[in-house]
């Protein structure tokens, strides 16, 4: 499941994805379906689903405060979550992971 599809709609029909910078350091293989909750030894700081070409990354809870830095949130509506005339609400139409996404201008805080 990719990020766009796995993002859950909020009460306003908007999806949000949090982008983070992650320090992995030395990784170990964690098999699919594993119930592993901690590194297998002090030699490892994170886990991956495949050592050669990882698609899933695990940062152990003991490392998360020092190894994960949130950078920004992208909030968006997919065309399937929009009303009958979706293109009128979009400033730009993009595809993320093959899913059409309506993009609005950034909101300044």
């Amino acid at each position: 499941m990719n990020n766009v599809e796995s993002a859950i709609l909020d009460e306003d029909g908007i999806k949000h994805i949090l982008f983070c910078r992650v320090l992995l350091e030395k990784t170990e293989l964690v098999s699919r379906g594993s119930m592993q909750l901690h590194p297998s030894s002090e030699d490892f700081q994170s886990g991956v689903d495949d050592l050669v070409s990882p698609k899933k990354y695990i940062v152990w809870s003991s490392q998360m405060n020092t190894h994960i830095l949130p950078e920004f949130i992208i909030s968006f509506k997919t065309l399937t979550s929009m009303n009958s005339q979706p293109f009128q609400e979009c400033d730009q139409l993009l595809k993320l992971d093959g899913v059409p996404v309506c993009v609005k201008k950034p909101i300044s805080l």
Side-chain angles (χ1 to χ4, degrees):
M1 188 179 324
N2 63 46
N3 292 330
V4 173
E5 290 174 350
S6 64
I8 299 170
L9 287 173
D10 69 10
E11 62 276 358
D12 297 319
I14 298 173
K15 293 184 173 192
H16 308 275
I17 297 177
L18 173 64
F19 285 82
C20 299
R21 187 174 304 260
V22 179
L23 177 62
L24 294 174
E25 293 191 52
K26 185 154 176 142
T27 59
E28 66 178 306
L29 180 64
V30 179
S31 301
R32 183 182 178 135
S34 169
M35 301 302 288
Q36 184 176 346
L37 299 175
H38 306 282
S40 60
S41 79
E42 292 182 13
D43 294 336
F44 301 109
Q45 291 75 40
S46 59
V48 292
D49 63 338
D50 185 309
L51 292 173
V52 176
S53 183
K55 292 181 179 58
K56 304 264 182 191
Y57 301 88
I58 299 165
V59 176
W60 306 114
S61 59
S62 60
Q63 305 285 337
M64 67 182 186
N65 289 335
T66 57
H67 286 63
I68 301 174
L69 174 65
E71 293 210 329
F72 56 92
I73 296 174
I74 293 183
S75 300
F76 60 94
K77 287 186 176 183
T78 61
L79 293 180
T80 55
S81 68
M82 297 175 73
N83 295 327
S84 58
Q85 297 179 331
F87 296 103
Q88 293 179 355
E89 297 180 34
C90 300
D91 293 324
Q92 186 176 7
L93 187 63
L94 299 175
K95 282 196 174 189
L96 291 176
D97 294 329
V99 177
V101 174
C102 175
V103 179
K104 301 287 282 176
K105 292 181 181 169
I107 300 170
S108 298
L109 298 176

